[in-house]
Amino acid sequence: AQSVSQHNHHVILSEAASLELGCNYSYGGTVNLFWYVQYPGQHLQLLLKYFSGDPLVKGIKGFEAEFIKSKFSFNLRKPSVQWSDTAEYFCAPHTDKLIFGTGTRLQVFP
Amino acid sequence: KAGVTQTPRYLIKTRGQQVTLSCSPISGHRSVSWYQQTPGQGLQFLFEYFSETQRNKGNFPGRFSGRQFSNSRSEMNVSTLELGDSALYLCASSLLYSPVRDTGELFFGEGSRLTVL
């Protein structure tokens, strides 16, 4: 059965710090990979996605993620975070259904 | 265009009661998925409907059920409510059905927050 693990449950950073959120999944077949974000008081929305091709994908607001097939990983990165990036981030591999990790709560302080 | 609409937004029930939640997908979207969101558990997949048929189901007891109508609107029902059913229930719609590669993103509603006392 497919599963997903997000290693960081709560991350606290200062503005301009670099961010990397870990995501590992387990599934032997073809998988599409997503990161979703939930800003305070808002609904979930897509941050970025990987289907095929270049394993380094770019999303909205300067976020990017790298798919490393050999490590079953899809880590999310941003070189310099802003206060407005405070949100909860969910990694979501998709096989026959979309499953979500438990989420990482990111707090960015000015 | 209008987003995914879920009703009611908030509701309070007592143990043993049943509840029905409604979801109207984005116009033209034929797939509707339901998720349960709780602190610490994240989002857990409940089920997915496409063309009025349940295509996929998560690991929830039979008390959780759903259906989809011909206009793609969907409802989910929870019978014999338990305290642990307190959660935010999210509905998401998409154009295509899950097993199709490059299925695209899910568009989420704001959720129905259920409190069971």
Side-chain angles (χ1 to χ4, degrees):
Chain A
Q2 64 190 82
S3 65
V4 58
S5 174
Q6 289 185 242
H7 316 299
N8 319 98
H9 297 293
H10 191 189
V11 174
I12 302 173
L13 295 172
S14 298
E15 276 192 318
S18 64
L19 170 73
E20 180 160 2
L21 302 182
C23 171
N24 285 90
Y25 66 93
S26 64
Y27 186 73
T30 301
V31 61
N32 298 332
L33 295 155
F34 298 79
W35 276 94
Y36 279 82
V37 60
Q38 190 171 33
Y39 296 103
Q42 297 187 28
H43 59 271
L44 274 160
Q45 56 188 281
L46 181 68
L47 195 59
L48 49 77
K49 59 187 177 184
Y50 171 80
F51 289 145
S52 63
D54 189 344
L56 184 63
V57 293
K58 296 188 184 301
I60 60 172
K61 302 187 179 183
F63 284 90
E64 63 180 32
E66 185 176 13
F67 169 53
I68 304 179
K69 189 174 181 180
S70 60
K71 295 184 179 180
F72 297 91
S73 71
F74 191 55
N75 292 354
L76 181 71
R77 300 195 292 249
K78 186 171 183 178
S80 176
V81 295
Q82 300 174 317
W83 174 79
S84 58
D85 293 327
T86 294
E88 191 155 16
Y89 293 81
F90 295 89
C91 178
H94 181 275
T95 55
D96 64 332
K97 56 183 177 288
L98 189 68
I99 64 167
F100 286 80
T102 52
T104 297
R105 184 172 299 278
L106 172 66
Q107 282 184 286
V108 180
F109 289 95
Chain B
K1 59 184 175 182
V4 177
T5 304
Q6 291 188 246
T7 57
R9 292 290 314 281
Y10 302 92
L11 66 167
I12 299 174
K13 294 284 187 179
T14 57
R15 280 182 299 175
Q17 288 187 309
Q18 67 97 25
V19 66
T20 299
L21 308 177
S22 179
C23 172
S24 294
I26 291 173
S27 178
H29 284 192
R30 296 170 62 192
S31 176
V32 172
S33 302
W34 288 90
Y35 291 84
Q36 181 195 65
Q37 185 177 16
T38 55
Q41 294 287 325
L43 284 85
Q44 294 185 281
F45 174 76
L46 281 156
F47 23 66
E48 177 180 15
Y49 288 87
F50 183 82
S51 294
E52 301 177 66
T53 302
Q54 187 180 93
R55 303 291 179 161
N56 223 326
K57 191 176 188 304
N59 297 320
F60 278 81
R63 301 186 295 108
F64 292 80
S65 62
R67 57 178 176 168
Q68 186 180 33
F69 303 95
S70 58
N71 61 358
S72 294
R73 191 177 70 84
S74 177
E75 288 181 348
M76 68 162 282
N77 184 77
V78 188
S79 62
T80 320
L81 284 166
E82 300 177 0
L83 295 178
D85 297 332
S86 294
L88 181 67
Y89 290 88
L90 294 171
C91 167
S93 75
S94 63
L95 275 172
L96 302 173
Y97 162 41
S98 287
V100 176
R101 190 162 170 72
D102 298 343
T103 191
E105 68 180 283
L106 295 184
F107 293 84
F108 284 85
E110 294 186 326
S112 293
R113 185 167 295 281
L114 170 66
T115 301
V116 182
L117 302 176

